[in-house]
Structure formats: C-alpha cells, structure tokens
Amino acid sequence: MGSMPNTREAQPQLDLEDSCRTERAQWLINSPEPPSLWQEIVGTVHGNFSSHGRKQSSSATNGKRALSLFQGLFPILSWGRTYKASMFKNDLMAGLTLASLSIPQSIGYANLAKLDPQYGLYTSVVPPLIYALMGSSREIAIGPVAVVSMLLSAMVPSLVDPAVDPSGYTRLVFTVTFFAGTFQAIFGLFRLGFLVDFLSHAAIVGFMAGAAIVIGLQQLKGLFGLSHFTTKTDVVSVLTSVSKSVPHEWYPLNFVLGCSFLIFLLVARFIGKRNKKLFWFPAIAPLLSVILSTLIVYLTKADQHGVKIVKHIKGGLNPSSVHQLQFNGPHVAEAAKIGLIAAMVALTEAIAVGRSFASFKGYHLDGNKEMTAMGFMNLAGSLTSCYVATGSFSRTAVNFSAGCKSAVSNIVMAITVILALELFTRLLYYTPVAILASIILSALPGLIDINEAYNIWKVDKLDFLACFGAFLGVLFKSVEIGLLVAVTISFLKLLLHSIRPAVEQLGRLPRTDIFCEVDQYPMASKTPGLLIIGINSSLLCFANANSLRERITGLVTEDENGTEETAKDRVESLILDMTNVLNIDTSGILALEELHSNLVSQGIKLAIVNLRWQVIHKLKLSKLVEKIGAEWIFLTVAEAVDACLAYKSAINNNSNL
C-alpha cells in the first residue's frame, strides 16, 4: 500500500517522457522534402561558377555577379590585386630556375612521347600561361611530364606509326590532347572529380613505379644509340629488343657520354637533398649537362663517330594546330578513349602534387577549379601545337624550393622558354640524344616510392593488391592494362564492402545512454529481450539489401535459439540503428518490408532509429512508415530502448492480469 503514492507520482513523469519522445520522433517523420536530383545538379553547377561557391544576394548587381563569375574562373583577378613588387623578385628567380630545368626536360619528354623536340618546348609555353590565369595553386609547375608522355607513346602508335607517318601521328596526339582537355573541363565544371578518385592512391603508387621502370628501360635506346627499337612498352619486349640490337648497333661513345652525365645529375640531386640552400644546383644541372655535352660533341665532332644528336629543332613561337585536329577520321573514338585515360592520369598527378605543396603553405586547393584550369589549358594547348600538360612533381619541388610566391613563376618560365625558342634552338643542333635519356633517367627515382608501398601493405592488404596489380600490369603488359587492373581491383574492393557491409550488435556502455558495438567494446551490455543492430553501410540498395536482410534474420534466429540462459529472454523487439544509411533504393525498401513482415509473424516488434533525410522521405512515399507505425520511429537508440522496454512491461502486465 505504501508504494502506491510513489507510483502515482512517477506516472505523470513517464507520460511527459513519452510525450517528449513522440514529439522528437515527429521532428524526424515530418522533416521537409530533400532537394530533387535536378536541384542538386543546378546547385552544383552554380556553386562551381560563383566565387567561393556562395550565392549572390538578390540585391547584387549584374556587374557584381559578372565579377564573381570571372573571379571564380580566373583566380588571378582575386590574388592579383594584392600582388606586390617584392613578391615578383622571388617569382622571377623561381621562374628562371624552373626554366633551366624545364627546357632540357621538355625536349627529353617530347622525345619520350615520340614527337619532335620543339613540341615539348611548345607545351612549356601556352599551358603554363593559361594555368597562371585560371589555376589556384601558387607552387605547381605546368608542362610535359614523363608518365603522360610515356602513356601517349604507348597507346597512340597502335593507331598511327610515328616512324611511317610522323605528321599523322602528331595530328592524332593533338586530337588526343583536345579530348583530354575537354574531359578535364567537364570534370571540373560539373564537379565530377570523384571519377578521378577511382584511380586510388594505392593504384597510382603502383602505376607510377611501373611506369618509371618502363620509362627507364625505354631510355636504353638513347643511352646505347640504337636505331631499331620495339614500339611495345612491356619489360619483356624492351629487354628482348635491347639484347638483339646492342651487339650489332650500339656505339660505346653514346653510352659513355650518357652515363657520365647521368652520374653528374644524380650527384647534383644528392647534393641538393643534403643541402637545401643548394636547391638551385640540381635544378640547373640538366641545362649544364646539355650545354657541356653539346660543346663536347661540336668540338670533337663526335657525331661523325656514332654519337646520335638531336639535329634540327624548329624555332619560333607556337604555330596554330587548329587545322590539324581530326574529328572525322577512323581513329576518333580511340583518340577520345586515350584522351580520357590521359586526362585522368594527368589530373590525378597534378591534384596530388598541388594539394601536397598547398598543405605546406597552409591553404586549401579546390580540386574542381584545378580540373577546370587544367581542362582549358589543354584545350588551348591542343590548338597551339602542344600535347597533354599537367603538374610536374620534380619541377614543382624546384619551384617551391626556389621560393615562388604565386603562379607568376609559371609566366616567367613560359617567357624564358619563348626566348629560347626564338634565339637558342639552333645552338641545340649537336645535343646528344644520350643526354636527353640521362636527364629523364635522373628524374625517375622520384616516381618510385618503396616506403609508401610498404605502408600500404601494412595498413590495407586489398589496397596493396591494387598497387601491385597496377605495377605488374604496366611492367609486363601495357599502360592501359595496368590502369585497368588497378581500377578493376579498386572496384572489386568497393563492391566487396558494399555487398558485405558490417552488421553489428550494439550494447549500452556502463553509466551512459551511448550504444556501441559489443565486439569493439566488451564492457557494453545487451538489454534482455532486445536485439539492437547497427547497419554500417551508407547505401541500402540492390547490391546488399537481401544479404543484409538474411544476416539480420540470422542474428534474430541465433539469439532465439541460443543457450538456455538466453532462451529465457527471447527477442521481443528488434531495433535497427540506420544512422549510417544515407540513402536507400526500392530493393532496400522491399527488403525492409520483408524483414518487417517476417518479424510480425514471429511476434517481434521492429523499431527504426535515426533515418536520414533521403531515407525517411522514400519510406514515407512507399508507405512503409505507416506499416511499421510512426510511433516506432525514433531519433536515438536510447529512446527506442526505453519505448521497447515500456512496451515489454505493458505486455507483461497485461499477461499477469
């Protein structure tokens, strides 16, 4: 009798808690409709064009909106207003240092891409100028790079042989560059940068290492002075070609000259790493090598004794290549495919390089704006006799070490290359091909990151499989196969996690209302009569819906048919924590309906916790909320547990009566 007043006093408090819980659940159930797919697309495009991604107020004038648009497309309009003369001194020195490295590297990379030397120099003029206007990185150095040059030389010759039809090969490379720029611009303007992420970090590490070895093996042609060489890029074909050609064709002077300057370049690189104040030494070492080797060949007439030389390099400014683009030939589809692959590889390298150095300076790099800038610079390049350009890691490191303050260093570098094209190309006639090979070889160690590969192995074995697959694919088959293997393994990894997402039992941490996975937190206690399950998948869809339903049903059955102790507390309520489920499709909704029907047939209540915006909207449209009951939708697991315990208590009281 004495306990009756306490019961009467507690009843209003319980009613108040139930009322508050119901009100909070209504916040979830009555949430507004999420934006439609069309609204999201329009908002994405608008955000990319507006400055800093912000909408202009309704009172903004057309002039302000136009300025915002132009500042979004041309960041130089923003930072240019605060540019000071004191900054130009740093950019001037960085640009000149950059040019001393870019000129010999550009000639070497053009040779790697199986193009005439001047096209490498052209690619170091127009793309850097366009990027300086549209790019947002202060340190990145634009121009031809080894990996993209090798990719073009590996894929384009299968369509047009550069030895048989050099002009047709050049035209096709310009067309590939046009498509690469188009894809890059589309990725940036429509914020499709996630497509580039399919080339995961692990895949790029393996791809770069394999490409570095293949590029290095291809330089044996220049190092030995060979005339006949395989057009294939796999290691077996290259080594076979070298073993067959060397006994008959090689000239020892080429090898001696190339190896001597390769040692000089590697020593310069070592000195620059040991002493940061001497950063300029490895930067100018390639240009010194070109000058010294050219003088040696000219003075000793070594070209008459078997030393291969570059010979004529066409000087002058970039000529127009608009009329050379091919959009109605037999290879347009293949050119577009190669352009897409080149676009993704170039973007991946550039954004990785740009973000790395931006983090050193403490600012954020907008990946979508970078893609837009890269796209427009390659589009402009394809019209001015350039091939695919991107950010170079080695040259960006030199630019950074030289103290650049802005993209003006790219402008200085481009102007210096223009002067070289106008004044100095005739002086490069006697430059030995072996020197270009040694310059490329000296830059390759930076592409092989053994420590990073080891870290990937320690952290994630599946990631390492993608890394190793890309490495072997490039090394023993082709660039295309290497990328395909890497992307396939990455997709399989994604598919594996999507099809078999984790389904974990949750328990309450002692002295809290926090519910966590009992496997990770053994101290978390289960609630008798309740089975609390968390779904760790961002998407409940056709790929995993049936699997999740079967696994949840299995957990319910396992709990019911457990030991003697657990059998006393049969499952009376199942609580699904869907906090991590961001979206659901019709297959996912059907799986939830089947699960609910199955539980009802067993007399088990289903409660669902924290449905996200898109999920609750679709469950309301499908009438599943009505079938489950709005009163069984909760904001938190703790509220769901309290409601289920109250329901269980009410059932027990009724049965006792």
Side-chain angles (χ1 to χ4, degrees), residues 17 77 241 257 263 303 340 357 386 447 545 550 598-599 610 644:
E17 289 180 2
L77 296 177
S241 178
L257 198 62
I263 293 171
D303 58 307
L340 175 60
F357 285 93
C386 305
L447 298 178
E550 291 170 1
N598 186 28
L599 293 174
N610 200 11
C644 290

Side-chain angles (χ1 to χ4, degrees), residues 372-424:
T372 305
M374 296 279 173
F376 280 104
M377 82 179 189
N378 278 315
L379 280 172
S382 69
L383 306 178
T384 53
S385 301
C386 305
Y387 71 98
V388 182
T390 188
S392 163
F393 183 83
S394 60
R395 293 196 293 274
T396 302
V398 168
N399 199 28
F400 178 83
S401 300
C404 71
K405 298 297 181 183
S406 71
V408 171
S409 61
N410 272 294
I411 298 175
V412 173
M413 184 266 291
I415 293 173
T416 307
V417 176
I418 290 173
L419 293 175
L421 279 166
E422 289 285 356
L423 304 175
F424 304 122

Side-chain angles (χ1 to χ4, degrees), residues 39-59:
Q39 289 173 323
E40 289 182 353
I41 293 174
V42 171
T44 294
V45 176
H46 182 274
N48 195 52
F49 277 104
S50 11
S51 179
H52 307 296
R54 292 192 298 263
K55 293 183 179 180
Q56 296 292 326
S57 64
S58 57
S59 61

Side-chain angles (χ1 to χ4, degrees), residues 305-445:
H305 300 281
V307 174
K308 301 281 185 180
I309 59 175
V310 173
K311 297 184 179 178
H312 179 66
I313 297 179
K314 186 178 179 181
L317 297 177
N318 294 41
S320 171
S321 55
V322 176
H323 60 286
Q324 298 190 55
L325 298 178
Q326 299 176 324
F327 300 120
N328 54 2
H331 305 305
V332 175
E334 288 295 319
K337 184 189 77 171
I338 298 171
L340 175 60
I341 295 172
M344 294 185 70
V345 172
L347 282 177
T348 303
E349 182 173 358
I351 292 175
V353 170
R355 284 178 174 167
S356 297
F357 285 93
S359 65
F360 294 152
K361 290 289 185 72
Y363 69 94
H364 173 70
L365 201 65
D366 189 328
N368 289 296
K369 287 186 178 180
E370 285 297 287
M371 292 179 190
T372 305
M374 296 279 173
F376 280 104
M377 82 179 189
N378 278 315
L379 280 172
S382 69
L383 306 178
T384 53
S385 301
C386 305
Y387 71 98
V388 182
T390 188
S392 163
F393 183 83
S394 60
R395 293 196 293 274
T396 302
V398 168
N399 199 28
F400 178 83
S401 300
C404 71
K405 298 297 181 183
S406 71
V408 171
S409 61
N410 272 294
I411 298 175
V412 173
M413 184 266 291
I415 293 173
T416 307
V417 176
I418 290 173
L419 293 175
L421 279 166
E422 289 285 356
L423 304 175
F424 304 122
T425 51
R426 292 182 182 178
L427 302 178
L428 299 174
Y429 182 90
Y430 289 98
T431 300
V433 175
I435 293 305
L436 302 181
S438 66
I439 290 171
I440 294 174
L441 284 168
S442 68
L444 295 182

